[in-house]
Amino acid sequence: MNVLDKPEHLSRADVVYDQLKEAILFRKIAPGTQLIEKIISEKMSVSRTPIRNAIQQLADEGLVKIITNRGAFVVEPTFDEIQQAFDMRQRLEKMSVELLIDDMTQDDFLQLEELIEHEKRTYQKKDILNYLDVNKQFHMFLAIKTKNRFLIDFTERILDQINVYLMLYDVFFDENLDEMKRFKEHEWLVSALKKKDLQKLYELIDQHMTESLHYMSLDESNK
């Protein structure tokens, strides 16, 4: 798509941003690749200013790393960084269930079940962006239920960071839906919450983090 063919409501920077983000998310541009303004400008027939703005937006989202005097690169996190992020998420989610376990209502459970059904539909459609969004909504629902503003803030930040990693390395497109535990894990979490079984919730959170890491395609060079 030539940037000149953009929809009227989108700026050139918006179109460049959308195209670069899609290319990164769907591995058309590999992690660690340098984003060179001159090459992008020639391919998209657009000046460097909207390219620069788009790259900055991607950097703000954690998809691109800008290195002084070197340029902009698609992020390439190490295995240790990814492991640390999941370890932190594990601790935060355990804290969440500890704080909310006695406060869940029937309406809360209905909302969580609706999110799981939505999650299934986005997965079946191979819609990675909406899949990751509804997955985040499920986990943020639990954090928000605690009414602890620090826990809510930290949980959102770690989920956003992990979503960047999942965008770059997740291999759920190659999995068979019938063999997946993704949705069952969320269903099991809801079931344990209904029973107020805190020990079972701890076990499920541990399992969920292990499975989430398993779904990621990590090259030996990342470890």
Side-chain angles (χ1 to χ4, degrees):
M1 174 181 174
N2 190 299
V3 171
L4 297 178
D5 299 325
K6 66 183 176 62
E8 289 300 320
H9 67 286
L10 293 179
S11 69
R12 293 188 179 216
D14 288 334
V15 176
V16 173
Y17 161 80
D18 287 343
Q19 291 190 28
L20 286 177
K21 184 171 184 177
E22 180 178 335
I24 291 170
L25 298 187
F26 293 96
R27 289 73 158 184
K28 295 175 185 176
I29 303 177
T33 301
Q34 183 174 7
L35 300 177
I36 302 172
E37 292 179 15
K38 183 176 185 296
I39 294 176
I40 297 171
S41 175
E42 292 171 353
K43 287 187 176 182
M44 294 189 176
S45 300
V46 66
S47 68
R48 293 196 184 188
T49 299
I51 295 171
R52 199 167 295 122
N53 292 338
I55 288 175
Q56 183 59 59
Q57 189 174 349
L58 292 168
D60 292 341
E61 294 181 6
L63 281 169
V64 168
K65 184 175 183 179
I66 298 175
I67 303 175
T68 304
N69 298 324
R70 288 190 57 198
F73 299 81
V74 177
V75 292
E76 190 174 23
T78 66
F79 179 80
D80 285 343
E81 289 171 342
I82 294 172
Q83 181 70 64
Q84 288 169 17
F86 274 95
D87 287 346
M88 181 56 66
R89 175 178 165 184
Q90 189 173 12
R91 293 172 185 271
L92 291 170
E93 293 200 355
K94 286 184 176 180
M95 189 180 299
S96 289
V97 296
E98 287 173 9
L99 294 174
L100 63 80
I101 194 166
D102 293 320
D103 299 323
M104 294 291 289
T105 66
Q106 185 60 34
D107 185 60
D108 291 332
F109 291 124
L110 287 174
Q111 290 187 60
L112 288 173
E113 288 163 359
E114 287 176 3
L115 286 171
I116 293 171
E117 289 305 309
H118 186 193
E119 186 180 29
K120 290 178 182 178
R121 291 193 296 272
T122 60
Y123 182 92
Q124 289 168 329
K125 293 178 180 178
K126 309 296 187 185
D127 187 346
I128 185 172
L129 296 182
N130 280 323
Y131 171 84
L132 291 173
D133 179 65
V134 71
N135 184 275
K136 176 184 173 181
Q137 288 181 51
F138 180 92
H139 292 284
M140 282 304 300
F141 184 97
L142 301 178
I144 291 168
K145 186 67 181 179
T146 70
K147 299 180 181 178
N148 182 316
R149 66 185 183 91
F150 297 104
L151 179 57
I152 293 167
D153 179 57
F154 295 151
T155 298
E156 182 162 28
R157 289 166 61 186
I158 202 65
L159 286 173
D160 284 342
Q161 189 61 57
I162 285 176
N163 272 354
V164 169
Y165 300 153
L166 290 174
M167 289 173 183
L168 295 174
Y169 294 107
D170 194 16
V171 292
F172 76 88
F173 285 135
D174 300 325
E175 299 283 354
N176 185 317
L177 180 64
D178 294 333
E179 298 174 356
M180 296 297 291
K181 295 181 180 178
R182 292 172 186 270
F183 315 119
K184 283 296 181 185
E185 288 170 358
H186 282 176
E187 290 169 354
W188 293 333
L189 281 170
V190 172
S191 177
L193 278 171
K194 288 180 178 179
K195 296 174 183 176
K196 297 186 178 182
D197 187 341
L198 191 58
Q199 188 57 46
K200 183 63 175 178
L201 285 164
Y202 289 159
E203 293 173 5
L204 289 170
I205 290 169
D206 289 342
Q207 177 182 320
H208 194 46
M209 295 305 104
T210 299
E211 292 292 339
S212 294
L213 278 170
H214 173 71
Y215 298 144
M216 298 176 73
S217 175
L218 295 174
D219 187 271
E220 285 298 321
S221 61
N222 295 104
K223 298 184 180 182

